[in-house]
Amino acid sequence: MTDKPLLEVRNLRVEFPTREATLVAVDDISFHINAGEVLGVVGESGAGKSMTGAAIIGLIEPPGHIAGGEIIFDGQRIDNLSNTEIRKIRGRHIGAIFQDPLTSLNPLHTVGRQIIDTIITHLPLSQKQARTRALELLKEVGIPSAEERIDHYPHQFSGGMRQRVVIALALCADPKLIIADEPTTALDVSIQAQIINLLKGLCSQYDTAIMLVTHDMGVIAETADRVAVMYAGRIGEIGPVADIIQQPKLPYTVGLMGSIPAIGEDVERLTQIDGSMPRLNALPSGCRFHPRCPSAFAYCAIERPELIEAGNSQVACWLYDKEKGQGKSPAHGLQKTHTKAVSKTTTQPANTLLQVEGLKQYFDVSPPLLTRLLERTGRKYVHAVDGLDFTINRGETFGLVGESGCGKSTVARAIVGLYKATDGTICFDYVDDGGLDDKQRMQMIFQDPHASLNPRWRVREIVAEAIPAGTGSTKQKITARVGELLAQVGLAAEDARKYPHEFSGGQRQRISIARALAGEPEFLVCDEPTSALDVSVQAQILNLMVDLQRRMGLTYLFISHDLAVVNHISTKVGVMYLGRLVEWADTDTLFSNPQHPYTRMLLDSIPDLTNIGAKRSQVGGEVPSPINPPSGCTFHPRCPFATDRCKSEIPIASSVSGSSVACHAIEEKRLPDWKTS
Amino acid sequence: MLSFVLSRILQSFIVMIGVSLVAFSLFTYVGDPISNLVGIQTSDAKREKLRESLGLNDPMPVQFLRFIERASQFEFGISYQQKRKVGDIIAERLPATLELSFVSAMLALLIGIPAGIYTALHRKSWFSHFMLSASLVGVSLPTFLIGIMLIFVFAVNFNILPSFGRGEVVKLGFWSTGFLTASGLKALIMPSITLALFQMTLIMRLVRSEMLEVLRADYIKFARARGLSDRMVNFSYALMNTLVPVITITGLQLGSIIAFAIITETVFQWPGLGLMFIQAINEVDIPVMSTYLLLIAMFFVIINLIVDLLYYFVDPRLRVKQGD
Ligand SMILES: Nc1ncnc2c1ncn2[C@@H]1O[C@H](COP(=O)(O)OP(=O)(O)OP(=O)(O)O)[C@@H](O)[C@H]1O
Ligand code: SF4
Ligand code: SF4
Ligand SMILES: [Mg+2]
């Protein structure tokens, strides 16, 4: 019970001096990590998660610095070490893994050289021995034909493979602790599962502890032993993973857990924590969560709560204080609304709004003519969308899912007319393509609310511009309309005077929705509208979209790589793989009884929040390049049921138990039932 | 690999042919070559005969082909003013310009790159601040002004450096060099500094900003997190990556050193190509002018080719194709 912790952080404080004031990014936090343990650190962006990790390995970017507290690693204080001394610990005893595998490796050196350099820095090995060790490591992290790949450059590896190399690099001196900062966020779900399994397996094999920083609760559920929840630079709750996920105590954690859409759960609205995390230069007094907390009471704004024991966990909340919280019940009003969503069962007769037939979109990515002549290669095309048929009925939400690069965004752009389709027809409301009126009745919302709003315009101008110049629109009328639109998306009329940078990510997405609604469209094409947002803010936007749909009878095409989000919001779902729809069906049908092997693979790779510690089923392989898609069924290199026929013949969609599926195995009735094996 | 080199060489050829066409048009269509060659009294019949014998009555493409054929043998016709072969004039002037440009380029690179690295790695040091402020002067003052100021101080006031000319030169075959005599070396100092200053500051600022960018990159952060030594992180990781984009721009800058030499050569009366070109403009000596253009274009193309090939060897992303 009292084994000495491997890492102990006491009252750590990280400050950033700026011209106006000193910002406190991490404010007086204490925690420990035991040997071999996985500590998950969760929280919204800006909560101070990465900063805590950087402080431990002494890599805070100046002018930031540790302003107080101490960090003790393996019995030695390390926060005040000189640069040379801490370098002996970095990489040797504490390893690190960062978010983006694409940019974590030096592009000019072979991966072998990078591993060997690191090994030689820390271990007394010769060049040759180091190479042998590097080879072993590459094999261990699952790089096929490592002897050959060791001399390859990073750009020759795919994202998932690069993250494996990064793991090899972090592990190469056999450290006792690894700080993994969002190690899977930049990866597709199927790859995410592979990387998490690998990391967890290797660490338990070598008894390495991990501090796993992530905002993905699913990853935490399957990996972590204990979890720390951070909010605005403080730890709000810390405890065993099962307690945090199933019986969260802190009102913030309760809200956070409720705002995550989950598959197999049918709620109309997600739990919503209103507002967003405060900025560091405007921290509320007392408990920093109190302006957003539904359980807040007078004392919360007065004094800052410290961590106290509550059950198996520790919580920083006055509700659990014997004196102050007397008689208060924690966290009311943060439960999910468990009413069946009306929109999920279409009652009206089907009324087609959009019909897409044989849509193809190729991009010419050929090298210049001269190179083509010299290398004797022909033109090259990216088959971004390669023959797509689907219809969307009035009032429904069609969800489009698939891994990165499978052509989802391209479909969206082709539909709103940003691309001229290579082939196929797009009929909107029975009018064939491109009539001017359609433009207004169809609007698009983009993933990145930063990039899609002109930073030099006030919100008023941004929204007003999209209001159609109709008959007799006076200045007052426009102002009134802008106010009305802002109110619809939950913003105040005064916000019209502000510039986009004065808003948070979620508010900016609200502005883009207001802009899209300006022309009173019937149909909204939403390309990953919540992917750049934190879960609690994502919940707000999803709830807003559901409300708007109900009120205005909107039809959505909702694109996302997140199956749980699509499950939550859609009435129908299409699954895309390499430019083709492989399966589409009603949401309930698709998620309860998936047919296509790819759909099943995607569902399998989602971490299960209710099943803590369970491993996801391993899925092999990665998405091939759309320039040279595999022959026949493009999924065959990754498919466990592939036959020779699959390699040569493109499967045609047929109807199977309520779904339309394009797969030979299903047609030949040799696919086992879902979840029976 | 081979196809990359071939395609680059082919591109260079195409550019050179384009430039030749310009030079050729200048040569053929600006002024009448015959009246520049003969006296006023020459009869029309004689002129016509000369025209025929020089091939000026042939169709344009034939003339152009002949022009290229002769240019490739370093035959550029006769200077109107000096009545000597342009090839000979160039051969005489070329060493002066090349030596001056070479010394300037070396100065610009050997000072500019280390200064850029230093100011990027030690952003806060007083020396960095000094270099940055000093470089502003280098970028903003016009070249001729710097030259004149140098002359005023070191030639007029202190009288320690010559204010014009190349000093004594030694002939090595057709090449005349100023590197081997004391006066030749002394004469090089001021012109080369004048010519190098602008490029030097530009290269320094470029290297600095590029390196600062690279130092913020994830792979640098990850390298530090693995405990690699500062030396390895700064030089083997950061510097290499800095140089990739710097190579291109630096190459082009070196090309423009040769082109910019015109001003410096005029200020210091340096007997090189630039001075020759200015004189040729004054005297409307078309063959000399068009040959100069051709030559400068060729230097640019060659430097560009070298830069492309260098790039190719430094950056594996170009060299090694993606995929497995
Ligand atoms: N303008 C373009 N020119 C060339 N290739 C393109 C272009 N736009 C998209 N592609 C390629 O087409 C393929 C499909 O791209 P698309 O953006 O539609 O994918 P996606 O499913 O939206 O992916 P993500 O989940 O990463 O957003 C990708 O391989 C992409 O690189
Ligand atoms: S201290 Fe008060 S405001 Fe803070 S989480 Fe607890 S109840 Fe909410
Ligand atoms: S068609 Fe063949 S390869 Fe494609 S998903 Fe079905 S079984 Fe697998
Ligand atoms: Mg996309």
Side-chain angles (χ1 to χ4, degrees), chain A residues 103-119 121 154 165 169 172, chain B residues 117 121 210-211 213-245 314 317:
Chain A
T103 55
S104 285
L105 298 171
N106 182 352
L108 300 186
H109 292 346
T110 61
V111 299
R113 176 156 170 209
Q114 299 186 48
I115 302 178
I116 293 168
D117 280 349
T118 314
I119 293 177
T121 306
V165 174
L169 275 163
C172 68
Chain B
I117 297 171
L121 290 181
E210 203 54 57
M211 185 132 178
E213 185 80 37
V214 169
L215 284 174
R216 274 196 294 273
D218 284 353
Y219 54 83
I220 297 296
K221 202 168 100 187
F222 187 45
R224 287 197 202 289
R226 297 203 303 275
L228 296 185
S229 67
D230 281 349
R231 236 187 60 216
M232 187 177 278
V233 173
N234 289 339
F235 293 100
S236 173
Y237 277 51
L239 184 59
M240 285 272 281
N241 278 286
T242 305
L243 289 184
V244 173
V314 174
R317 282 164 291 192

Side-chain angles (χ1 to χ4, degrees), chain A residues 566-608:
Chain A
V566 165
N567 170 53
H568 170 73
I569 195 141
S570 314
T571 45
K572 257 193 203 161
V573 180
V575 181
M576 259 186 105
Y577 188 74
L578 274 187
R580 296 190 190 140
L581 265 188
V582 296
E583 176 167 5
W584 63 104
D586 286 343
T587 306
D588 295 340
T589 318
L590 191 107
F591 284 92
S592 60
N593 189 15
Q595 297 294 323
H596 196 277
Y598 179 62
T599 315
R600 294 181 177 189
M601 185 192 97
L602 282 181
L603 280 173
D604 268 342
S605 63
I606 306 175
D608 190 352

Side-chain angles (χ1 to χ4, degrees), chain A residues 231-245:
Chain A
Y231 185 81
R234 305 264 307 151
I235 290 182
E237 179 169 10
I238 183 167
V241 62
D243 290 73
I244 300 283
I245 289 181

Side-chain angles (χ1 to χ4, degrees), chain A residues 363 365 382 384 403-410 419 528 626:
Chain A
F363 295 105
V365 290
V382 174
E403 286 172 286
S404 177
C406 69
K408 306 182 297 289
S409 301
T410 310
Y419 290 145
E528 309 257 11

Side-chain angles (χ1 to χ4, degrees), chain A residues 167-408:
Chain A
I167 292 178
L169 275 163
L171 286 174
C172 68
D174 216 348
K176 290 181 206 137
L177 172 68
I178 287 193
I179 298 186
D181 192 348
E182 305 272 9
T184 57
T185 308
L187 304 171
D188 276 320
V189 259
S190 66
I191 317 290
Q192 242 178 43
Q194 296 169 15
I195 296 295
I196 285 293
N197 282 345
L198 173 71
L199 193 60
K200 206 180 167 188
L202 285 176
C203 288
S204 62
Q205 186 181 334
Y206 292 110
D207 203 27
T208 311
I210 313 179
M211 174 171 156
L212 181 64
V213 175
T214 178
H215 64 265
D216 187 336
M217 272 298 176
V219 170
I220 292 287
E222 69 185 318
T223 321
D225 300 313
R226 281 188 309 131
V227 184
V229 181
M230 285 191 75
Y231 185 81
R234 305 264 307 151
I235 290 182
E237 179 169 10
I238 183 167
V241 62
D243 290 73
I244 300 283
I245 289 181
Q246 281 151 6
Q247 295 138 27
K249 306 221 161 40
L250 186 75
Y252 174 65
T253 319
V254 175
L256 200 62
M257 296 313 304
S259 63
I260 303 169
I263 287 174
E265 187 184 65
D266 209 352
V267 296
E268 186 190 21
R269 290 174 59 95
L270 297 165
T271 310
Q272 180 166 331
I273 315 176
D274 289 321
S276 56
M277 208 172 66
R279 295 188 189 183
L280 290 180
N281 56 10
L283 290 177
S285 63
C287 173
R288 286 171 187 181
F289 187 55
H290 84 254
R292 301 173 72 189
C293 180
S295 320
F297 53 101
Y299 196 71
C300 297
I302 297 170
E303 199 185 331
R304 191 175 85 180
E306 302 295 333
L307 284 175
I308 47 172
E309 304 287 334
N312 295 326
S313 322
Q314 288 177 299
V315 190
C317 171
W318 289 122
L319 289 176
Y320 297 90
D321 187 273
K322 292 259 154 40
E323 288 168 36
K324 310 284 187 322
Q326 207 102 80
K328 302 274 193 313
S329 67
H332 52 80
L334 275 179
Q335 273 73 39
K336 296 186 186 186
T337 328
H338 272 273
T339 45
K340 178 98 179 156
V342 189
S343 53
K344 285 212 174 171
T345 42
T346 343
T347 42
Q348 310 149 319
N351 179 348
T352 307
L353 183 67
L354 181 88
Q355 181 158 22
V356 174
E357 260 172 29
L359 179 67
K360 283 188 184 166
Q361 186 77 55
Y362 294 170
F363 295 105
D364 191 344
V365 290
S366 316
L369 178 69
L370 207 57
T371 318
R372 286 211 305 275
L373 287 178
L374 286 166
E375 292 185 350
R376 301 216 181 93
T377 49
R379 287 186 165 276
K380 275 191 194 145
Y381 295 96
V382 174
H383 301 237
V385 176
D386 205 3
L388 211 62
D389 306 281
F390 63 89
T391 52
I392 302 181
N393 292 333
R394 263 207 180 73
E396 72 179 16
T397 302
F398 188 83
L400 204 53
V401 282
E403 286 172 286
S404 177
C406 69
K408 306 182 297 289

